């Protein structure tokens, strides 16, 4: 009799009555062959050597997931004060793991409030003390006395290039960073960018400023026209590169691919670039470890390319390329097209409906007027052929729950 | 010996009569109707943006609450219009099972300036209402004895009763919020048997209660889990609770056992005081155990110590052992 049948059967109840403290059923011999990290890469000049597939803790379901990941070889954990209980859960895991020096923890210069664009990330005008307090808050929640990396996060979330450049090289932030480094509370400064505006320019500025030890760009097989130049500049300066948003929108590929096939192909595409030390991917369950880690240390193959081609064929004309932003200047009304399509992606593909709607509601100009707009300039503005007007209308409907 | 084999003449397959065929055709609408009927019984926890009028839309709620009088008619919102009322936060409610919202403003007699706003969310199921309460009440909220569970936080009170999540917001600090909330709870059309029904064993001082929608502790098949943390004998203790129809829990338990085997975690079943306990030796979570009832799985992250096992006893046996439950 199979165990699961046994569990369901009335025999169990009978045994419970007859045997006061009997062992009724038990586990089968353990399964073997769990996927684990196969490769660790140096991260620029930081001295760190990180797992090529690393842990994005934005949706961390529990401390045990961190411990499972460590057991599978992951040694780099990316968290933030505004990722819910993520920092506290990593702290709980650290209490059990105890070997703080065996893993790397990266957090952000952020406030611990739910994600709201422009509010959770410390902006220009924040004092040195506020930057320091942000890190000290992270240290307290993590239960550790240092961060390996602290990020100036989501560079390029605003359209104004000069304003973002100021945030990138903000005097108060740099002074706080220096003080925190001297106090041994942080080890490296980093910058991340999801786009949507001026990603390449801002990351290049960061690399050449000499203040940043590593960058984390959105980077995936759906092409970023100028990003290869950024990667080369980073390599030349000894600045480490960790990739994020590697799944190009993370749409379901349906029954056409087995679980993990597309993800592994996408990861291998990213990791075949020698300038990229590793990637951070959100891990929410044990299934994610099983599906993602087989890509570690593996070369990119023709089969991988076919999987990516299939994905591109299915979604290539739907996916708004992070960091592109070529459409932005086409709208005379100033609708932030790339941002809106990104929020739509958060809503539809990432399951972050709340964040997407909050971000959309905070926009000064949204896509409400697009349905009645007669200016066709945006229609031909996407170099990848996306039907921008229709996508904006759909995004407005989705992000406002309107009919 | 040689010979030839002859194929017997084929007999045409019997065809149903015209009457039978007509009968089968007539059944199609019935089958379609059955499918449609089944489709109406969707889980409101799923995203569904079509019009849905919940019970709250037809509530006959009091025109006066203590010395306050309702201003105008109650306003009703469905999934498609909720965004008009709570811009930027509608999705959270919809994703948590929201059916409808009724909003009422109350003011002192003769005034047209509301001093109390009452939001009554019909969340469909007590579990959904509970999940929203846990997320919305905030860490510093003070427990309040109203409805099945309630909290006060400054000038706001939130409580749940049945599938309702109710929020009172006062603009006059002198308003007696607990009394107003109690009066409102009494007016809600909720039968006693529709109360939350999620009694937790009394295992010590409650330090937190959370609702986890999906991937509980990284297990992709465990969702809609309630977790309560206690301080017991000075140490933290965590209990989890999962309630669902027996067939659903059968599936969950099958997946759980398969998961334990796949992960190489040692487990065994034990009989203790007539209860069947499944005990798991987990290097990541430590030892934990659970008890399966037809519509409920109750687990504890702990060794199956005698006192804890007794706390999981069913009510009749619990009374004998002097155990208590809490909500």
């Amino acid at each position: 009799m199979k165990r699961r049948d046994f569990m369901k059967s009335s025999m169990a109840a009978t045994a419970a009555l007859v045997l006061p403290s009997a062992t009724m059923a038990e586990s089968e011999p353990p399964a073997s062959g769990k996927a684990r990290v196969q490769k660790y890469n140096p991260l620029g000049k930081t001295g760190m050597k990180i797992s090529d597939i690393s842990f994005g803790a934005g949706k961390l379901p529990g401390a045990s997931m961190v411990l499972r990941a460590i057991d599978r070889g992951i040694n780099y954990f990316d968290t933030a004060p505004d990722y819910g209980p993520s920092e506290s859960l990593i702290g709980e895991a650290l209490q059990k793991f105890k070997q703080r020096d065996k893993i790397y923890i990266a957090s952000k210069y952020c406030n611990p409030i739910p994600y709201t664009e422009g509010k959770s990330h410390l902006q220009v005008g924040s004092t040195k003390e506020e930057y320091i307090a942000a890190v000290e808050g992270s240290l307290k929640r993590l239960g550790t006395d240092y961060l390996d990396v602290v990020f100036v996060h989501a560079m390029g979330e605003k359209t104004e290039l000069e304003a973002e450049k100021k945030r990138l090289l903000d005097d108060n932030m740099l002074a706080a960073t220096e003080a925190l480094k001297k106090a041994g509370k942080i080890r490296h400064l980093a910058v991340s960018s999801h786009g949507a505006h001026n990603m390449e320019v801002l990351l290049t500025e960061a690399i050449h400023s000499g203040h940043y030890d590593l960058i984390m760009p959105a980077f995936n097989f759906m092409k970023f026209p100028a990003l290869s130049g950024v990667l080369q500049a980073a390599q030349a300066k000894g600045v480490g590169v960790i990739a994020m948003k590697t799944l190009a929108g993370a749409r379901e590929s349906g029954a056409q691919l087995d679980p993990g096939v597309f993800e592994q192909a996408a990861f291998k595409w990213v990791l075949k670039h020698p300038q990229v030390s590793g990637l951070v991917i959100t891990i929410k369950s044990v299934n994610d470890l099983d599906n993602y880690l087989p890509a570690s240390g593996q070369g990119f193959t023709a089969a991988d390319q076919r999987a990516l081609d299939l994905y591109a064929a299915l979604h290539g004309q739907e996916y708004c390329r992070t960091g592109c932003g070529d459409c932005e200047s086409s709208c005379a009304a100033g609708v932030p097209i790339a941002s809106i399509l990104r929020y739509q992606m958060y809503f539809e593909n990432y399951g972050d409906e709340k964040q997407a709607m909050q971000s959309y509601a905070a926009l000064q100009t949204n896509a409400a007027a697009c349905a009645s707009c007669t200016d066709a300039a945006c229609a031909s503005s996407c170099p990848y052929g996306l039907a921008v007007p229709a996508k904006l209308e759909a995004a407005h409907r989705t992000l406002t729950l309107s009919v | 010996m040689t010979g030839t084999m002859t194929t017997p003449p084929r007999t045409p397959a019997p065809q149903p009569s015209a009457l039978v065929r007509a009968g089968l055709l007539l059944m199609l609408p019935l089958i379609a109707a059955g499918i449609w009927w089944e489709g109406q019984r969707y889980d409101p926890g799923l995203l569904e943006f079509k019009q849905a009028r919940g019970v709250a839309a037809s509530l006959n709620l009091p025109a006066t609450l203590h010395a306050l009088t309702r201003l105008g008619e109650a306003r009703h919102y469905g999934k498609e219009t909720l965004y008009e009322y709570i811009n930027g936060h509608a999705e959270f409610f919809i994703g948590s099972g929201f059916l409808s919202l009724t909003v009422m403003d109350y003011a002192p007699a003769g005034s047209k300036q509301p001093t109390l706003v009452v939001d009554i969310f019909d969340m469909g199921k007590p579990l959904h209402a509970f999940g929203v309460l846990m997320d919305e009440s905030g860490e510093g909220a003070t427990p309040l004895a109203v409805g099945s569970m309630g909290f006060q936080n400054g000038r706001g009170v939130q409580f749940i009763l049945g599938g309702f999540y109710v929020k009172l917001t006062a603009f006059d600090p002198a308003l007696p919020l607990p009394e107003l909330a109690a009066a409102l709870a009494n007016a809600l059309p909720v039968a006693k048997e529709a109360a939350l029904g999620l009694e937790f064993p009394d295992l010590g001082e409650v330090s937190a209660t959370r609702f986890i929608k999906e991937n509980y502790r990284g297990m992709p098949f465990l969702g809609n889990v309630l977790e309560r943390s206690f301080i017991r004998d000075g140490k933290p203790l965590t209990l989890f609770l999962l309630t669902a129809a027996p067939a659903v829990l059968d599936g969950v338990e099958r997946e759980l056992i398969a998961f334990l085997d796949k992960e190489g975690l040692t487990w065994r079943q034990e009989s203790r005081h007539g209860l069947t306990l499944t005990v798991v030796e987990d290097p990541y979570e430590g030892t934990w155990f659970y008890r399966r009832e037809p519509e409920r799985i109750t687990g504890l992250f702990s060794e199956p110590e005698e006192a804890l096992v007794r706390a999981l006893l069913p009510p009749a046996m619990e009374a004998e052992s002097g155990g208590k439950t809490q909500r």
Side-chain angles (χ1 to χ4, degrees), chain A residues 141-334:
Chain A
R141 286 184 291 274
L142 287 158
T144 183
D145 51 8
Y146 71 95
L147 292 176
D148 296 280
V149 180
V150 65
F151 275 89
V152 176
H153 192 41
M155 190 55 58
E157 65 181 349
K158 291 182 175 168
T159 51
E160 301 85 7
L161 175 61
E162 290 309 313
E164 287 292 72
K165 276 186 180 176
K166 281 183 185 166
R167 184 160 77 96
L168 183 71
L169 300 172
D170 182 80
D171 287 340
N172 289 341
M173 182 275 294
L174 291 173
T177 301
E178 192 179 340
L180 288 163
K181 280 186 176 178
K182 274 187 183 167
K185 293 181 177 177
I186 62 172
R187 296 193 168 170
H188 303 289
L189 180 64
V191 59
S192 68
S193 179
H194 313 71
H197 312 286
N198 306 305
M199 179 165 76
E200 292 88 347
V201 176
L202 289 163
L203 292 181
T204 303
E205 182 95 5
I207 290 164
H208 290 296
S209 74
H211 293 296
Y212 288 90
D213 302 302
L214 63 125
I215 61 172
M216 183 164 68
F219 184 51
N220 61 58
F221 68 98
M222 287 283 202
K223 299 291 183 189
F224 294 92
L227 203 54
S228 60
V230 177
L231 299 183
Q232 284 161 15
Q235 188 177 40
K237 287 276 186 181
V239 171
V241 179
I242 299 175
M244 66 172 173
K245 307 294 171 193
T246 50
L247 293 180
R251 289 172 187 274
E252 296 286 339
S253 298
Q256 303 191 42
L257 291 170
D258 289 336
V261 170
F262 161 68
E263 290 86 349
Q264 290 163 31
F267 295 160
K268 286 189 255 180
W269 184 91
V270 168
L271 293 171
K272 75 177 182 176
H273 295 78
Q275 303 92 344
V276 178
S277 301
L279 61 88
V280 163
I281 181 71
T282 300
I283 291 176
K284 297 172 288 191
S285 73
V286 178
N287 278 5
D288 289 342
L289 290 175
D290 295 339
N291 289 335
Y292 299 164
L293 290 183
S296 176
Q298 304 303 307
F300 186 73
T301 66
D304 294 322
Q305 186 61 57
R306 284 195 294 277
L308 299 186
D309 289 345
L310 175 62
Y311 182 93
L314 288 169
H315 307 298
Q317 291 208 322
E318 297 169 35
Y319 174 59
C320 176
R321 276 72 171 171
T322 313
C324 170
D326 285 4
C327 52
E328 294 280 89
S329 58
S330 67
C331 179

Side-chain angles (χ1 to χ4, degrees), chain B:
Chain B
M1 190 176 80
T2 60
T4 56
M5 289 181 67
T6 56
T7 307
R10 262 195 194 163
T11 309
Q15 296 292 317
S17 71
L19 190 64
V20 170
R21 275 184 282 178
L24 287 170
L25 275 174
L26 285 171
M27 282 180 68
L28 286 175
L30 290 175
I31 293 168
I35 292 169
W36 178 86
W37 177 253
E38 185 63 25
Q40 304 314 300
R41 297 160 58 188
Y42 67 94
D43 180 351
L46 301 173
L47 283 177
E48 168 57 71
F49 298 114
K50 298 225 163 41
Q51 172 74 27
R53 287 177 71 85
V55 180
S58 58
L59 289 177
N60 183 22
L61 288 161
T64 60
L65 270 179
H66 283 245
L68 301 177
T69 307
R70 195 170 72 205
L71 285 177
E73 292 301 311
R75 288 167 279 150
H76 302 295
Y77 299 87
K79 287 178 182 175
E80 75 285 8
T81 54
L82 184 61
Y83 191 75
E84 295 169 10
Y85 185 67
I86 41 176
N87 191 334
H89 200 41
E91 171 278 332
F92 164 72
F93 284 93
I94 291 168
S96 303
F98 171 82
L99 292 179
S100 69
L101 165 66
T102 299
V103 181
M104 295 175 296
D105 301 323
Y106 288 88
S111 171
K112 294 201 171 179
Q113 195 64 36
T115 55
L116 177 73
V117 176
V118 176
D119 299 334
I120 302 174
F121 292 84
D122 180 0
M123 300 302 299
K125 295 178 180 176
L127 189 60
H128 294 155
F130 178 83
V132 170
L133 178 70
M134 289 298 100
D135 274 355
E136 292 284 296
S137 51
E139 286 186 5
T142 309
L144 191 66
V146 58
S148 300
M149 185 183 287
F151 294 98
Q152 180 162 9
N153 202 343
R155 293 186 192 174
V157 162
Q158 295 120 318
F159 70 87
I160 54 173
L161 185 59
F164 292 113
Y165 164 70
V166 182
K167 184 177 172 187
L168 290 84
T169 308
F171 298 102
D172 176 356
L175 285 180
L177 270 175
E179 287 85 346
L180 291 166
L184 201 62
N186 287 334
L188 284 172
V190 178
K192 281 185 180 173
E193 58 269 26
L196 192 59
L198 295 171
E199 289 80 9
F200 291 93
D202 184 358
L203 297 173
E205 181 190 344
V206 177
S207 55
T209 306
R210 299 170 60 213
F211 173 73
I212 298 94
K213 186 80 177 155
E214 59 185 4
N215 291 320
Y216 182 59
R217 304 215 170 204
M219 290 182 270
F221 46 86
L222 277 186
N224 293 320
V225 174
L226 291 160
E227 184 183 82
R228 177 165 282 188
S229 305
F230 300 88
I231 300 296
R232 181 182 175 87
D233 300 331
K235 293 179 183 172
L237 175 67
T238 303
L239 173 142
F240 69 92
L241 186 59
L242 187 59
T243 60
V248 173
L249 287 189
D250 285 347
V252 168
E253 197 172 16
R254 277 196 296 274
E255 289 197 74
L256 173 59
I257 294 298
F259 171 83
L260 297 177
D261 285 341
K262 178 168 155 277
E263 288 296 300
L265 303 182
T266 307
W267 62 272
R268 64 185 184 277
Q269 286 191 321
E270 290 182 7
S271 175
R272 302 268 291 270
H273 303 288
L275 302 183
T276 301
L277 302 178
T278 303
V279 184
V280 182
E281 304 296 338
D282 187 333
Y284 308 109
E285 300 284 6
T287 302
W288 55 281
F289 66 98
Y290 70 87
R291 179 196 174 204
R292 167 73 199 276
E293 295 167 86
E295 296 188 339
R296 181 177 163 113
I297 291 175
T298 311
L300 276 165
F301 290 95
S302 167
E303 295 282 346
E305 297 164 7
E306 181 64 14
L308 295 177
V309 173
R310 281 183 176 277
L312 300 187
L313 294 176
M317 298 170 73
E318 177 189 51
E320 288 173 21
S321 68
K324 290 186 289 183
T325 59
Q326 58 184 190
R327 294 194 304 184

